[in-house]
């Protein structure tokens, strides 16, 4: 059984009837998170900018998965779903899934207080999540 099928079986992914309204709602939230990231970046709050940038990217990825007819319950399910619905058919480069996971790891390190984000890291996250 592959990761996608395993996620469906374990409930990490659920088949849904995605409405344009639901997808648009996720995209609106992604844009709000992106704007928060930009404001925090402009104010020199690098760690907060990095975290908001991650959330913007996560919401945009979630919108893409919803548009494909699936809802995730966690990042593992989101990545497995995106790989199956977008990467395997060649509509999204596989590197983007890895970048999302790497971004989450960095966000978690910053959130837990183990490190602060640098201006360069915040800038990179902001550019990528835009």
């Amino acid at each position: 059984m592959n990761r996608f099928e395993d996620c469906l079986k374990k409930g990490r992914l659920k088949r849904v009837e995605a409405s344009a309204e639901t997808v648009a709602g996720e995209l609106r939230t992604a844009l709000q998170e992106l704007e928060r990231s930009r404001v925090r970046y402009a104010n020199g709050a690098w760690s907060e900018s990095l975290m908001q940038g991650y959330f913007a990217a996560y919401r945009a990825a979630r919108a893409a998965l919803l548009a494909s007819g699936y809802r995730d319950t966690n990042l593992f399910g989101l990545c497995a779903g995106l790989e199956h619905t977008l990467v395997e058919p060649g509509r999204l480069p596989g590197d983007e899934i890895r970048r999302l996971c790497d971004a989450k790891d960095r966000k978690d390190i910053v959130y837990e207080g183990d490190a602060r984000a640098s201006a360069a890291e915040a800038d990179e996250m902001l550019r990528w999540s835009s």
Side-chain angles (χ1 to χ4, degrees), residues 37-69:
S37 179
R38 287 178 177 147
V39 167
R40 284 167 176 80
Y41 183 86
N43 291 328
W46 317 129
S47 292
E48 291 79 7
S49 176
L50 181 136
M51 288 188 284
Q52 294 300 147
Y54 164 75
F55 290 127
Y58 180 88
R59 290 296 193 146
R62 190 173 226 203
L65 185 64
L66 276 169
S68 298

Side-chain angles (χ1 to χ4, degrees), residues 30-105:
L31 288 172
Q32 291 168 352
E33 297 286 359
L34 185 58
E35 183 56 29
R36 287 185 195 108
S37 179
R38 287 178 177 147
V39 167
R40 284 167 176 80
Y41 183 86
N43 291 328
W46 317 129
S47 292
E48 291 79 7
S49 176
L50 181 136
M51 288 188 284
Q52 294 300 147
Y54 164 75
F55 290 127
Y58 180 88
R59 290 296 193 146
R62 190 173 226 203
L65 185 64
L66 276 169
S68 298
Y70 295 93
R71 176 176 281 287
D72 65 294
T73 60
N74 59 25
L75 183 65
F76 186 84
L78 175 65
C79 291
L82 290 172
E83 286 170 355
H84 179 79
T85 61
L86 297 176
V87 174
E88 290 173 11
R91 298 184 339 205
L92 180 73
D95 288 352
E96 293 304 311
I97 304 300
R98 182 192 46 78
R99 286 190 78 181
L100 183 63
C101 293
D102 290 348
K104 184 204 183 283
D105 291 344

